[in-house]
Amino acid sequence: MNKANLEMLGRIHSIESLGTVDGPGMRYVLFLQGCPMRCQYCHNPDTWRLSGGRDMSVEEVLEDYESYRPYLKGGGITCTGGEPLLQMSFIIALFTEARQRGLHTCLDTSGITFRREGQTYERFLQLIEVTDLFLLDLKHIDNRSHQILTGCENSAILNFSQFLNENEKDVWIRHVVIPGITDGIQDLYNLGLFIGSLDNVKALEILPYHTMGVSKYEAMGIAYPLEGIAPAEPEAVDRARLVILKGITDKKRERRL
Ligand code: SF4
């Protein structure tokens, strides 16, 4: 136990004490405040501001975790957001202490702040030391479309994916199918080619776009960017999965030649 780690404060949006979709097993899921992206389909716009939420120390989080530990067998702790990388020092401190208690650590991130330079890079090396699993959201493989969809380029995200691969860190990749936006056949195939160039991908989750976040936009008084776009049908998700898998298979075959 390290006193400085335990006293480190994080800005917390909310806690899901028994989460089932953010990593293996039943998990304690911490939603962190702050995100530099503005994904048009974001269902958590209330996490965008770093100044929102409330402060919690690493010690308080771990004490709270302990009260649920009997129900979290086979699970662990997941940090999501928002974009948890905006609170990197807190994540590193929390995961360091969690690991010492034998907990599985998982980070749900876009990787948007990744840089292969100076102190930032050093921090990422520390981060991967204490993180067992990354849930990586690949939002759009085409850079121009990614910019339109999220307000940011995808170069840091793809670079981060390669960094995790080089360091043999386990990754689950997620992709959200938005009708007319992220379901183009060529883009899905290209996404598959990219994923096929990685050797550390343990799972692929193709998720349907949904509109459950719309009420939050209304409550916050901001226009919903994807107004009029219907949720993705199961068939569209199945089709996207097949195209991505074809890209992965083709890339793996090409690499074996
Ligand atoms: S990265 Fe996540 S939290 Fe940030 S805007 Fe996109 S969907 Fe929302």
Side-chain angles (χ1 to χ4, degrees), residues 35 37-39 41-44 47-48 81-83 110 139:
C35 185
M37 303 178 82
R38 290 294 178 267
C39 302
Y41 61 95
C42 181
H43 55 268
N44 289 324
T47 64
W48 287 348
E83 173 47 74
S110 68
K139 298 164 191 295

Side-chain angles (χ1 to χ4, degrees), residues 1-2 5-6 58 62 93-101:
M1 281 195 303
N2 175 301
N5 279 344
L6 291 173
V58 165
L62 289 173
L94 174 62
F95 281 5
T96 299
E97 296 300 317
R99 277 283 201 79
Q100 286 179 10
R101 289 162 170 77

Side-chain angles (χ1 to χ4, degrees), residues 210-222:
H210 61 73
T211 55
M212 284 189 279
V214 172
S215 58
K216 291 187 183 175
Y217 285 78
E218 287 167 1
M220 292 170 68
I222 49 179

Side-chain angles (χ1 to χ4, degrees), residues 68-116:
Y68 297 100
R69 192 189 266 263
Y71 309 102
L72 296 167
K73 287 201 179 81
I77 187 162
T78 296
C79 284
T80 181
E83 173 47 74
L85 292 180
L86 290 194
Q87 301 192 53
M88 186 104 119
S89 297
F90 175 75
I91 301 288
I92 292 172
L94 174 62
F95 281 5
T96 299
E97 296 300 317
R99 277 283 201 79
Q100 286 179 10
R101 289 162 170 77
L103 308 183
H104 180 275
T105 57
C106 174
L107 188 65
D108 178 12
T109 177
S110 68
I112 188 68
T113 64
F114 180 67
R115 302 286 179 274
R116 288 184 189 263

Side-chain angles (χ1 to χ4, degrees), residues 50-215:
L50 195 50
S51 58
R54 65 187 162 118
D55 281 337
M56 272 182 94
S57 68
V58 165
E59 189 167 25
E60 286 172 317
V61 171
L62 289 173
E63 277 176 13
D64 193 41
Y65 181 98
E66 288 302 329
S67 63
Y68 297 100
R69 192 189 266 263
Y71 309 102
L72 296 167
K73 287 201 179 81
I77 187 162
T78 296
C79 284
T80 181
E83 173 47 74
L85 292 180
L86 290 194
Q87 301 192 53
M88 186 104 119
S89 297
F90 175 75
I91 301 288
I92 292 172
L94 174 62
F95 281 5
T96 299
E97 296 300 317
R99 277 283 201 79
Q100 286 179 10
R101 289 162 170 77
L103 308 183
H104 180 275
T105 57
C106 174
L107 188 65
D108 178 12
T109 177
S110 68
I112 188 68
T113 64
F114 180 67
R115 302 286 179 274
R116 288 184 189 263
E117 294 146 16
Q119 283 192 337
T120 304
Y121 188 61
E122 295 299 319
R123 301 293 282 156
F124 272 97
L125 290 173
Q126 290 174 19
L127 177 74
I128 62 173
E129 273 298 307
V130 293
T131 307
D132 292 306
L133 174 68
F134 288 84
L135 309 183
L136 197 56
D137 200 1
L138 297 184
K139 298 164 191 295
H140 211 304
I141 196 67
D142 177 76
N143 191 37
R144 181 76 194 115
S145 302
H146 192 278
Q147 278 182 295
I148 294 168
L149 182 63
T150 71
C152 301
E153 295 194 4
N154 66 7
S155 50
I157 294 168
L158 301 184
N159 203 353
F160 182 60
S161 311
Q162 288 160 337
F163 165 73
L164 294 178
N165 186 46
E166 290 155 17
N167 287 281
E168 301 179 350
K169 297 303 301 187
D170 287 354
V171 165
W172 291 8
I173 286 184
R174 291 168 155 175
H175 178 69
V176 178
V177 175
I178 311 171
I181 296 179
T182 63
D183 61 350
I185 298 296
Q186 190 62 51
D187 288 328
L188 293 169
Y189 181 72
N190 290 345
L191 177 61
L193 293 179
F194 177 76
I195 296 171
S197 72
L198 308 172
D199 297 313
N200 59 337
V201 179
K202 304 301 177 193
L204 176 65
E205 293 183 312
I206 312 301
L207 305 169
Y209 162 70
H210 61 73
T211 55
M212 284 189 279
V214 172
S215 58

